[in-house]
């Protein structure tokens, strides 16, 4: 199963999202993508990380949320799991 986790607020190494959700799903044989604040496009522990620029304040809420939405539309998945209320409008 292809699963895409999306967060515009948390860094890619947030243990609740990366360790508990993404890595555990990848270990069970799922194809997992994480869209989060990160420095580069990277695969880590079987999880493909798609980077968002690190922004703060209103810029993060406006631009990072839209960027995360745009990346998620380009990512083929069967399940999309977003972690931030800022992404609800998208």
């Amino acid at each position: 199963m292809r699963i895409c986790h999306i967060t515009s607020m948390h860094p890619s190494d947030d243990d609740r999202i990366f360790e508990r959700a993404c890595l555990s799903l990848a270990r069970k044989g799922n194809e997992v993508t994480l869209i989060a604040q990160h420095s580069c496009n990277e695969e880590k522990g079987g999880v493909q990380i798609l980077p968002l620029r690190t922004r703060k304040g209103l810029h993060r809420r406006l631009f990072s949320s839209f960027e995360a939405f745009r990346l998620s539309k380009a990512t083929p998945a069967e399940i999309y799991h977003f972690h931030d209320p800022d992404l609800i409008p998208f």
Side-chain angles (χ1 to χ4, degrees):
M1 182 172 289
R2 289 181 289 183
I3 302 166
C4 180
H5 281 266
I6 310 159
T7 178
S8 60
M9 295 178 71
H10 302 287
S12 62
D13 62 353
D14 181 280
D15 75 329
R16 294 170 296 150
I17 297 170
F18 184 74
E19 297 282 336
R20 296 180 192 169
C22 295
L23 278 181
S24 65
L25 288 166
R27 286 183 193 127
K28 292 184 187 244
N30 296 294
E31 185 179 316
V32 180
T33 302
L34 171 62
I35 298 172
Q37 295 176 26
H38 196 65
S39 60
C40 63
N41 192 337
E42 176 181 21
E43 184 174 324
K44 194 173 177 182
V47 177
Q48 181 65 41
I49 302 172
L50 300 180
L52 295 176
R53 273 184 39 195
T54 301
R55 298 178 174 102
K56 297 192 184 251
L58 186 59
H59 285 260
R60 182 194 46 78
R61 290 187 182 276
L62 294 175
F63 300 115
S64 292
S65 295
F66 180 73
E67 184 182 3
F69 171 70
R70 184 183 56 78
L71 282 172
S72 69
K73 283 192 67 155
T75 303
E78 296 161 290
I79 297 174
Y80 295 88
H81 181 152
F82 64 91
H83 293 267
D84 313 322
D86 295 355
L87 295 167
I88 289 173
F90 297 105

